[in-house]
Amino acid sequence: MVSAPFLVSAPGKIILFGEHAAVYGKPAIAAAVSLRSYLLTTKHAAEFSDCVTLEFPDVKLQYSWKIHSLPWNVVPKRSMDTVRPPSELNTALMEALEQSLVAVLNPLQRSAALAFLYLYLCLCSPDMPGMTFSVRSTLPIGAGLGSSASVSVCLAAALCLLSGEVSPPETKGDDDSDFNAANYASIELIDAWAFLGERCIHGNPSGIDNAVASHGGAVMFQRMTKGNPNVRESMRNFPPLKLLLIDSRQPRRTAVQVANVATLLQNYPLVTEPILNGIQALTSEAYKLLLMPKEKCDDVWEERLRELVRVNHGLLVALGVSHPKLEAIRMAADELEIGETKLTGAGGGGCAITLVKRDVEESRILELKERLEGHGFEVFETSLGGFGAGCLLPTKSDAAEWEEWEDKLFSLHHMLGLGDREDIQKTVGVGSIDGWAFW
Ligand SMILES: Nc1ncnc2c1ncn2[C@@H]1O[C@H](COP(=O)(O)OP(=O)(O)O)[C@@H](O)[C@H]1O
Ligand SMILES: C[C@@](O)(CCOP(=O)(O)O)CC(=O)O
Ligand SMILES: [Mg+2]
């Protein structure tokens, strides 16, 4: 069992093909990005030891509950036969949590606090010491890059560590592909709990975002249907793709976009089902292309992939999840003949990706960036694939080291509250400081 203080982190993702259709059991392809969420867990001072506190400055939420005021009495008993949580939320607990959240009205804050409380009550116990859970993301929030899932994975990982449901990652061999059964069991459990966090945040998630945020890398994911389990194929030799990631900065909530598609499907099943089937077919085509050996990834291969990006976007437009700002991004990339563009994630705003032609001159890409930034859009540089969930624990081997860590942690605490994206990345970031270990 791990005790505070410690940090956990999980990445965001880019869905390359298949968003929305993924909710209906169709395959989708996504990869982790280097932008991540970080969660710092610290113990309260003695005078606040009966409180649990959330510090979520990215959504301007700071809130404390008296631990004993929370509805521990309705927490569902865990089945002894299985360690995995059920995939449905418990209605009685959800209803009881309404009471604990009466003062948190903003939907962005409320959904994040609900995800925390649900997981906290299910995984912890009322006799645990008072703690603060501070979250910061280097990801844009509500922009299609899976910030909700990366936060859900962080919450699940921290609470599973505190409750002893999982152990910190065991060191893998030098080769990152080395399989470690204990780590695998831990990350599967974190993924399953994070799915419930995602459910709290947006109702009907497919599970692809939490799968990528937990496991990292690139995956083809298909949600379970009719009792068949989820499929999660790790795509190890994912080809290097030249992508631009552009945030339209148009805020939207995944919950709303997913609900709009559900309404369209209900009102026009004969129209909407073929669109979802079309997305399924193109994702399967893309999957075959992305698994091709490197020597076959020629110009024709590249053009095919771009065509599929274009068609996927068109079908998402038909589902009603684009936005004039996303269309402006697509048109700018089309005009400069940079490549093909699609929205990524739930749409309605948020991010688009452009799959850049290999032979496009850098000057044209620069021109596109300038045009987009001139319109108030943000162009991100990020790499695909990479680590999934991990944690950073203080080493307890000697007192001096511990003190040094506590000092550092104190400044981290402020950094997590105040710094901008670069500060966070520099101070605690995966890839910036040593000590991170991954499941
Ligand atoms: N850094 C964060 N701190 C607190 N809550 C967050 C953070 N990032 C995401 N969330 C939660 O996730 C929600 C956004 O999720 P969603 O609408 O699915 O968009 P996306 O996952 O594409 O960013 C926010 O409204 C909030 O509840
Ligand atoms: C629209 C959807 O396919 C992806 C949503 O991703 P995001 O929350 O917009 O990052 C929903 C899902 O698969 O859960
Ligand atoms: Mg989300």
Side-chain angles (χ1 to χ4, degrees):
M1 205 175 289
V2 167
S3 60
F6 64 91
L7 271 157
V8 291
S9 173
K13 58 86 230 252
I14 288 179
I15 299 185
L16 293 158
F17 296 99
E19 50 273 270
H20 284 290
V23 172
Y24 301 94
K26 318 290 186 197
I29 297 169
V33 289
S34 49
L35 304 166
R36 306 178 66 95
S37 295
Y38 294 89
L39 163 61
L40 171 66
T41 307
T42 44
K43 250 189 224 138
H44 275 318
E47 62 269 36
F48 300 115
S49 65
D50 58 345
C51 288
V52 58
T53 301
L54 291 188
E55 282 183 2
F56 289 178
D58 292 336
V59 294
K60 301 188 173 47
L61 174 70
Q62 172 155 38
Y63 204 87
S64 291
W65 292 267
K66 290 266 186 217
I67 294 173
H68 284 279
S69 74
L70 294 169
W72 297 99
N73 57 326
V74 294
V75 176
K77 294 263 172 315
R78 301 273 296 283
S79 152
M80 299 304 271
D81 325 327
T82 163
V83 285
R84 279 176 78 87
S87 55
E88 301 292 330
L89 292 171
N90 179 275
T91 318
L93 180 54
M94 289 295 275
E95 278 167 11
L97 286 174
E98 294 283 318
Q99 210 41 45
S100 312
L101 289 165
V102 275
V104 187
L105 295 176
N106 174 314
L108 267 71
Q109 300 174 341
R110 192 184 170 86
S111 52
L114 176 64
F116 168 76
L117 284 181
Y118 193 94
L119 298 181
Y120 178 69
L121 283 160
C122 288
L123 283 160
C124 295
S125 68
D127 44 25
M128 275 192 182
M131 282 174 277
T132 297
F133 295 84
S134 310
V135 171
R136 283 303 312 268
S137 277
T138 61
L139 285 156
I141 292 158
L145 301 185
S147 72
S148 59
S150 74
V151 168
S152 297
V153 169
C154 286
L155 293 174
L159 296 167
C160 282
L161 281 169
L162 286 166
S163 63
E165 296 265 332
V166 306
S167 303
E170 287 179 7
T171 319
K172 296 181 199 164
D174 288 342
D175 178 359
D176 185 52
S177 64
D178 273 2
F179 179 76
N180 178 304
N183 286 352
Y184 186 75
S186 295
I187 200 62
E188 285 278 286
L189 197 59
I190 291 169
D191 187 9
W193 281 108
F195 180 69
L196 293 178
E198 272 280 83
R199 265 206 189 286
C200 292
I201 295 175
H202 76 75
N204 187 15
S206 63
I208 187 169
D209 289 10
N210 48 283
V212 176
S214 308
H215 295 267
V219 298
M220 189 280 284
F221 179 91
Q222 195 165 4
R223 183 184 199 171
M224 70 173 158
T225 42
K226 301 190 189 100
N228 298 319
N230 290 343
V231 176
R232 198 192 61 243
E233 299 266 346
S234 154
M235 297 171 73
R236 284 198 177 278
N237 295 320
F238 208 73
L241 300 173
K242 191 160 180 182
L243 283 184
L244 285 181
L245 172 62
I246 307 122
D247 185 1
S248 69
R249 285 190 162 143
Q250 175 64 35
R252 90 296 175 278
R253 286 200 304 133
T254 298
V256 174
Q257 301 303 317
V258 169
N260 288 349
V261 174
T263 307
L264 194 76
L265 181 60
Q266 203 179 19
N267 291 347
Y268 306 102
L270 294 181
V271 176
T272 311
E273 270 165 21
I275 299 176
L276 297 173
N277 291 337
I279 295 178
Q280 166 167 31
L282 77 82
T283 303
S284 304
E285 290 293 329
Y287 182 62
K288 281 185 241 158
L289 287 175
L290 290 167
L291 287 185
M292 291 253 182
K294 271 205 180 67
E295 60 278 11
K296 293 208 169 149
C297 299
D298 56 9
D299 290 352
V300 177
W301 172 90
E302 222 198 85
E303 202 182 322
R304 287 266 167 83
L305 210 55
R306 283 200 305 274
E307 275 169 355
L308 293 174
V309 167
R310 188 181 66 234
V311 178
N312 197 164
H313 181 73
L315 293 175
L316 289 165
V317 172
L319 289 179
V321 296
S322 190
H323 184 276
K325 290 188 182 170
L326 291 168
E327 294 310 309
I329 293 168
R330 188 184 58 75
M331 265 152 43
D334 282 0
E335 270 164 27
L336 290 167
E337 297 181 14
I338 302 277
E340 294 292 347
T341 303
K342 72 179 272 291
L343 68 86
T344 185
C351 289
I353 49 172
T354 300
L355 183 55
V356 178
K357 285 189 212 161
R358 245 183 282 199
D359 55 3
V360 170
E361 311 88 70
E362 273 306 307
S363 60
R364 284 230 304 277
I365 297 179
L366 216 63
E367 191 181 336
L368 177 65
K369 279 189 187 168
E370 276 167 13
R371 259 202 219 178
L372 294 172
E373 281 164 0
H375 280 92
F377 303 144
E378 187 169 9
V379 183
F380 281 95
E381 290 191 16
T382 182
S383 51
L384 285 187
F387 292 117
C391 76
L392 181 64
L393 301 172
T395 38
K396 293 184 187 167
S397 52
D398 74 38
E401 210 172 336
W402 177 255
E403 255 173 50
E404 196 186 309
W405 171 262
E406 294 262 56
D407 274 358
K408 196 165 169 202
L409 206 71
F410 185 73
S411 65
L412 288 188
H413 198 71
H414 285 279
M415 196 57 83
L416 281 169
L418 298 172
D420 65 11
R421 281 187 192 136
E422 273 102 70
D423 286 330
I424 301 165
Q425 177 57 35
K426 243 191 290 161
T427 319
V428 296
V430 166
S432 301
I433 62 165
D434 292 336
W436 281 102
F438 301 91
W439 280 285

